[in-house]
Amino acid sequence: MRYLTSALVSEGITDDQFLPRLLARALTEICQTEFEDAVEVADVQPLRARKGPCSTADVMKLVEQNSASFLLVFFHHDQGTSADRVAAEWLRPLRQLWGDRPEQLIAVVPVRETEAWLLTDGDALRSALGVRWTDAEMGLPAQPRRVEQVADPKKVLNDIMGRVSRSTADHFGQLGELVSLARLDDVPAYRQWWSDTSDALARLGYRRV
């Protein structure tokens, strides 16, 4: 039995609520479907030194403070309106600073924002919010892959949650447990994360099926 530890450095507090639960579920599925090894997947641990996004130097400091604690380190940054800018200002500099560290660095880059991934599954939203609205009434795309065409997914999600009278602050963690991985599988950015994670596990010596 192998024990898989991982950490997440994300842009914000909401991302720390949603992504760790989602990524842990997906990691378990990757290990079960793509590798021969029996793996116990530990909870994905958020690393954070401030409320907002970290600089690349901050990321390295957080990782060094937790040296040898994790096999995988997920770095989350929303793509926004420019994939090239994220690559130039964040991903390439961070990989250069990373050098030959033993931890595997894996980017998590939703198009345009993390909230897009929450819009893939109307059933998850209905369950978490306790509503019966149809996908159309919530303004969700007809097909999961089309969430990447939504110009402002954060606004769409905020509008949905704003229609619920009670507090929705705790629902991001719940949605991390509920959003369908099968539906996310149709989203290109998620598929890229899955492929990169599978390759990282192979580099760590996990045996592919």
Side-chain angles (χ1 to χ4, degrees):
M1 173 71 73
R2 302 185 68 156
Y3 188 63
L4 180 58
T5 55
S6 58
L8 169 71
V9 182
S10 78
E11 283 197 279
I13 301 299
T14 298
D15 303 306
D16 284 349
Q17 295 170 339
F18 170 70
L19 284 173
R21 300 191 189 189
L22 174 72
L23 298 182
R25 292 170 53 218
L27 272 176
T28 298
E29 186 163 308
I30 291 172
C31 290
Q32 290 176 347
T33 60
E34 298 204 3
F35 293 92
E36 294 183 357
D37 310 74
V39 182
E40 180 180 351
V41 176
D43 292 342
V44 177
Q45 298 296 321
L47 300 181
R48 177 165 298 282
R50 60 182 68 183
K51 289 185 178 180
C54 296
S55 67
T56 52
D58 291 334
V59 175
M60 295 306 301
K61 184 176 180 179
L62 284 170
V63 173
E64 287 164 3
Q65 288 173 345
N66 294 273
S67 182
S69 298
F70 305 103
L71 295 172
L72 307 177
V73 176
F74 299 115
F75 172 68
H76 159 252
H77 199 289
D78 290 336
Q79 179 177 295
T81 58
S82 175
D84 291 341
R85 180 178 178 183
V86 172
E89 295 185 3
W90 294 93
L91 301 184
R92 286 199 292 271
L94 185 55
R95 289 182 176 123
Q96 289 174 353
L97 288 171
W98 205 264
D100 59 356
R101 291 193 64 87
E103 301 94 341
Q104 295 292 306
L105 175 66
I106 304 165
V108 185
V109 187
V111 178
R112 301 172 174 254
E113 297 164 326
T114 306
E115 284 79 4
W117 288 8
L118 281 78
L119 301 180
T120 59
D121 188 353
D123 288 340
L125 285 166
R126 281 184 284 274
S127 178
L129 300 177
V131 299
R132 296 183 179 180
W133 304 321
T134 66
D135 288 3
E137 288 171 333
M138 289 189 287
L140 306 185
Q143 299 164 330
R145 67 177 181 274
R146 293 177 63 184
V147 296
E148 296 193 343
Q149 300 171 17
V150 177
D152 192 346
K154 187 187 294 288
K155 182 180 184 303
V156 174
L157 186 64
N158 285 342
D159 287 348
I160 295 168
M161 290 190 167
R163 294 160 61 187
V164 179
S165 59
R166 63 187 180 282
S167 172
T168 59
D170 60 341
H171 289 312
F172 289 96
Q174 188 180 9
L175 286 165
E177 298 283 0
L178 293 175
V179 169
S180 166
L181 299 182
R183 293 184 68 81
L184 275 172
D185 194 52
D186 288 336
V187 179
Y190 175 81
R191 285 300 307 172
Q192 183 63 57
W193 170 82
W194 178 289
S195 176
D196 291 345
T197 301
S198 179
D199 289 345
L201 291 173
R203 289 193 295 271
L204 288 171
Y206 285 62
R207 299 166 298 168
R208 292 192 189 274
V209 174

